[in-house]
Amino acid sequence: MTHDELQEDLACHLRAGTENEVWRPVNGYEGLYEVSNHGRMKSLAKLVVRHIKGVYREFHYSERIRDTKPATNGYVYVDVVKNEKVRRVPVHHLVLTAFVSAKPLGMECRHGNNIRSDNRLSNISWGTNVENAGDRVSSGTYAVGDTHPLAKFTEVQIASMQSDAKGMPRRAVREKYGISKSHLARVLCGVSRSSRIHGEASHDA
């Protein structure tokens, strides 16, 4: 399936309703929030007593499904509150810790269809960074080499930069290619586009 077809499949699933939806407490926030195997999040009903201007007042909050929207990186986050402390966490992390396990050391979340906003339990799992990057490359949702969106220069131009840097001041090289100081340093250290993909593609929590 193409990426657009996968998006439509997800949209159809969400429109289909909540059949077979299972809810479990959010780890560390039991009694406050629950998360479902469909990737949804809800706040539980609660009574809050606040001291306002010398008077104690009761505030009743009903159970409600939390509205979530993907961030600029494509992942869906939600704010959780406990003891007046607010914490923003990715929904996929809440689903996996509630239904699978705590995050294993060195692991991150893999989205099977590479749609970061699809946090259904059937679509996510713990995996390594290399596995995660490999999923994107194999699915065609992450370009490599000169086709990578971060690839400002071709491999030939990078080789030319590295050659020029051997006999020219760094500042002159940066001005010649219109490149930043940090970018040039990465090029000279041999950090290629492919290594960015496998080492820096994911900022998963």
Side-chain angles (χ1 to χ4, degrees):
M1 297 177 70
T2 66
H3 188 70
D4 289 340
E5 289 172 336
L6 288 170
Q7 289 280 15
E8 179 59 27
D9 177 65
L10 172 59
C12 289
H13 171 81
L14 295 177
R15 289 194 296 266
T18 59
E19 184 179 359
N20 299 321
E21 187 168 23
V22 177
W23 292 90
R24 288 190 181 179
V26 171
N27 286 359
Y29 294 84
E30 292 82 357
L32 298 173
Y33 304 97
E34 289 187 353
V35 68
S36 82
N37 59 332
H38 287 195
R40 299 202 300 164
M41 167 88 168
K42 68 180 179 182
S43 302
L44 301 181
K46 61 184 177 180
L47 169 65
V48 177
V49 178
R50 292 195 176 100
H51 187 256
I52 302 176
K53 295 182 179 180
V55 179
Y56 287 97
R57 297 184 179 181
E58 294 184 348
F59 295 85
H60 297 266
Y61 295 90
S62 302
E63 180 179 297
R64 68 182 180 90
I65 301 296
R66 300 289 296 274
D67 292 328
T68 56
K69 293 182 180 180
T72 54
N73 63 2
Y75 293 112
V76 178
Y77 295 83
V78 66
D79 290 335
V80 291
V81 183
K82 184 177 182 180
N83 298 329
E84 299 185 351
K85 294 183 179 180
V86 181
R87 181 180 170 220
R88 176 159 292 185
V89 292
V91 173
H92 61 253
H93 183 93
L94 299 180
V95 175
L96 285 175
T97 54
F99 287 90
V100 180
S101 70
K103 180 181 178 181
L105 184 64
M107 295 288 186
E108 58 188 41
C109 177
R110 299 173 64 185
H111 286 77
N113 59 12
N114 289 300
I115 298 177
R116 292 178 172 182
S117 60
D118 184 355
N119 295 308
R120 293 175 292 173
L121 181 60
S122 60
N123 184 56
I124 57 179
S125 62
W126 294 122
T128 66
N129 178 271
V130 173
E131 291 173 327
N132 216 349
D135 290 342
R136 297 188 185 97
V137 174
S138 62
S139 69
T141 57
Y142 212 101
V144 297
D146 294 341
T147 62
H148 193 275
L150 296 179
K152 184 177 179 180
F153 302 101
T154 65
E155 296 292 352
V156 173
Q157 289 173 314
I158 288 177
S160 179
M161 270 186 249
Q162 293 171 333
S163 176
D164 288 344
K166 294 177 181 179
M168 295 172 58
R170 298 287 177 87
R171 183 173 181 177
V173 177
R174 295 199 305 270
E175 291 177 351
K176 177 179 178 179
Y177 293 95
I179 191 173
S180 70
K181 185 176 181 179
S182 61
H183 197 162
L184 177 59
R186 291 165 65 83
V187 170
L188 298 182
C189 287
V191 181
S192 66
R193 286 180 294 279
S194 61
S195 64
R196 276 206 300 270
I197 292 172
H198 292 289
E200 303 175 18
S202 174
H203 298 282
D204 184 26

